[in-house]
């Protein structure tokens, strides 16, 4: 495949659409999260998730609620959502937010909860595909016509280019953006870390400020018209450019980029207390159902179901990707080396 691929795109009320997606807990979520199941009649679950997943779960929840009611006659289920930066969300759960399930965009966010005893250590073995129902990748969103002629990672170091990304220190979206750039730099420089550092330092010099989440970065780029390039997930770029604001943006696929995985888990400490384990488990298992996989594909998440993926092949170009763990080690090692205070992000970021 060529080193890049452009998807031409069209504009429709992005301001209202994105404004409706502000990164906060959905109405009544915090209050109802503490409400236990009432004899199987009405079950209330709280799904604590990352910010750009809101569009998927907004449609998935009614789908599951209908399935649950059919499977459990006389009973009903209500799902509340909380969205924000993935790692911030994990910390909120660690600090007491009563999530029945967590649906994150980074394995380390659930590993954090497992280390604290809130999620079982074998959480990834409880569901198919190591508990990752769909994947995405990191791409570039540029303005229509690609005026800066951005074709690949190498173009992101051009002088006077302005890049918008989420904060790599606190968000999964930003971490994948950083690791995607650094992984490219290592490959382009035959593993030479010094030269990879030089490249990434120049790229980060083109980032005026780190946004506090993936959706906040999208809003800055699309609504506030700041920046030349948004580095974000493939599903977010497609949703914005095809659904929210067609004919205003184009997607550039780098020749080599990072694979992002969206792990899910039951929060054992909460479902035991609320007696919601059965419902919470069903909620996550249904993510692998054909209707849910089809929904994921329609929202530009790469489904695990091979038949569904094949049916949507036109929306998912074949690209050369790498798993972060294959290049950088385990997530604890990644977090310490790159994203901890004083780590590589801090060392390579310009001093503001």
């Amino acid at each position: 495949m060529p080193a890049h691929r452009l998807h031409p795109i069209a504009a429709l009320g992005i301001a209202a659409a994105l404004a409706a997606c502000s990164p906060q807990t959905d109405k009544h979520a915090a209050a109802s999260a503490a409400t236990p199941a009432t004899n199987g009649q009405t079950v209330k679950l709280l799904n604590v998730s990352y910010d750009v997943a809101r569009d998927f779960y907004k449609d998935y929840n009614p789908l599951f609620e209908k399935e649950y009611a059919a499977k459990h006659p006389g009973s009903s289920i209500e799902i509340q959502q909380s969205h924000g930066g993935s790692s911030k969300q994990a910390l909120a759960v660690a600090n007491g937010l009563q999530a029945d399930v967590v649906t994150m965009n980074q394995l380390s966010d659930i590993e954090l909860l497992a280390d604290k005893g809130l999620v079982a250590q074998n959480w990834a073995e409880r569901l198919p595909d190591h508990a990752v129902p769909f994947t995405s990748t990191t791409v570039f969103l540029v303005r229509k016509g690609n005026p800066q002629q951005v074709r690949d990672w190498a173009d992101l170091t051009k002088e006077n280019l302005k890049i918008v990304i989420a904060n790599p220190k606190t968000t999964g979206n930003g971490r994948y953006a950083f690791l995607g750039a650094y992984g490219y730099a290592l490959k382009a420089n035959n593993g030479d870390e010094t030269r990879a550092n030089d490249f990434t330092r120049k790229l980060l010099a083109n980032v005026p400020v780190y946004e506090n989440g993936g959706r906040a970065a999208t809003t800055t780029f699309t609504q506030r018209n700041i920046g030349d390039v948004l580095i974000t997930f493939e599903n977010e770029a497609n949703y914005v450019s095809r659904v929210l604001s067609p004919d205003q943006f184009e997607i550039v696929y780098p020749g080599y980029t990072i694979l992002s995985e969206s792990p899910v888990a039951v929060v054992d400490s909460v479902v035991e207390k609320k007696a919601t384990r059965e419902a919470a488990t069903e909620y996550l298992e249904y993510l692998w159902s054909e209707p849910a996989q089809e929904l994921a594909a329609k929202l530009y998440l790469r489904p695990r179901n091979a038949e569904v993926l094949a049916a949507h092949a036109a929306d998912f170009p074949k690209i050369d990707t790498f798993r972060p763990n294959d290049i950088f080690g385990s997530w604890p090692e990644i977090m310490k080396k790159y994203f901890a205070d004083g780590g590589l992000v801090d060392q390579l970021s310009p001093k503001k």
Side-chain angles (χ1 to χ4, degrees), residues 9-343:
I9 332 255
L12 223 144
I14 187 173
L18 287 179
C21 296
S22 58
Q24 58 187 2
T25 303
D26 290 359
K27 187 177 181 182
H28 304 315
S32 58
T35 304
T38 55
N39 300 321
Q41 298 303 303
T42 301
V43 180
K44 294 185 179 181
L45 300 181
L46 174 61
N47 174 11
V48 173
S49 189
Y50 63 104
D51 52 1
V52 302
R54 68 183 70 241
D55 303 304
F56 172 79
Y57 286 106
K58 175 175 62 68
D59 291 339
Y60 173 75
N61 289 344
L63 195 68
F64 174 74
E65 288 168 0
K66 182 178 179 181
E67 172 73 11
Y68 185 89
K71 187 176 178 180
H72 302 275
S75 298
S76 62
I77 192 165
E78 180 183 344
I79 314 297
Q80 288 86 31
Q81 290 291 133
S82 174
H83 292 281
S86 184
S87 294
K88 288 183 178 180
Q89 293 290 80
L91 286 173
V93 175
N95 289 329
L97 181 59
Q98 297 293 288
D100 298 88
V101 299
V102 286
T103 57
M104 300 302 190
N105 66 9
Q106 190 176 306
L107 298 174
S108 63
D109 292 329
I110 299 183
E111 290 171 353
L112 167 72
L113 302 178
D115 290 342
K116 291 184 175 294
L118 304 178
V119 169
Q121 289 291 332
N122 68 340
W123 64 271
E125 302 167 17
R126 292 174 165 182
L127 293 164
D129 301 306
H130 300 287
V132 177
F134 35 72
T135 65
S136 190
T137 190
T138 294
V139 301
F140 312 147
L141 191 66
V142 299
R143 304 194 184 279
K144 187 177 180 180
N146 195 5
Q148 299 297 328
Q149 295 299 292
V150 172
R151 306 297 185 193
D152 212 330
W153 291 102
D155 297 314
L156 299 186
T157 61
K158 291 179 178 180
E159 290 187 10
N160 302 318
L161 190 77
K162 295 293 184 251
I163 302 170
V164 179
I165 64 171
N167 192 336
K169 298 258 297 187
T170 59
T171 71
N173 193 309
R175 287 181 188 135
Y176 281 114
F178 177 88
L179 293 174
Y182 200 77
Y184 159 82
L186 285 173
K187 183 179 182 182
N189 292 287
N190 299 313
D192 187 323
E193 289 192 1
T194 299
R195 295 175 68 182
N197 288 352
D198 290 341
F199 169 84
T200 309
R201 184 181 291 108
K202 290 177 182 178
L203 186 153
L204 295 180
N206 285 342
V207 181
V209 63
Y210 295 135
E211 299 296 335
N212 62 17
R215 183 51 59 88
T218 297
T219 300
T220 293
F221 185 71
T222 58
Q223 285 187 253
R224 298 171 61 197
N225 293 314
I226 294 175
D228 303 298
V229 184
L230 170 68
I231 307 178
T232 191
F233 292 132
E234 176 185 34
N235 58 296
E236 176 79 343
N238 270 293
Y239 188 67
V240 169
S241 59
R242 296 189 185 205
V243 179
L244 295 183
S245 187
D247 202 34
Q248 291 190 21
F249 305 100
E250 299 176 4
I251 298 175
V252 176
Y253 279 85
Y256 179 70
T257 190
I258 192 167
L259 178 73
S260 58
E261 299 175 309
S262 301
V264 300
V266 168
V267 182
D268 295 84
S269 62
V270 173
V271 298
E272 286 298 320
K273 180 170 61 178
K274 293 174 57 180
T276 54
R277 178 179 295 279
E278 180 180 359
T281 300
E282 288 184 29
Y283 177 76
L284 294 184
E285 289 177 341
Y286 194 65
L287 289 167
W288 277 264
S289 70
E290 186 172 345
Q293 292 283 289
E294 182 69 26
L295 175 62
K298 288 180 179 178
L299 292 175
Y300 310 106
L301 292 160
R302 296 188 178 226
R304 292 294 200 175
N305 184 305
E307 293 181 359
V308 174
L309 180 60
H312 293 267
D315 292 327
F316 299 112
K318 293 182 179 179
I319 50 178
D320 188 8
T321 62
F322 66 89
R323 293 185 70 250
N325 303 118
D326 294 338
I327 303 295
F328 304 112
S330 68
W331 273 108
E333 291 170 329
I334 292 171
M335 296 299 292
K336 181 178 180 180
K337 180 175 180 179
Y338 297 97
F339 305 115
D341 288 345

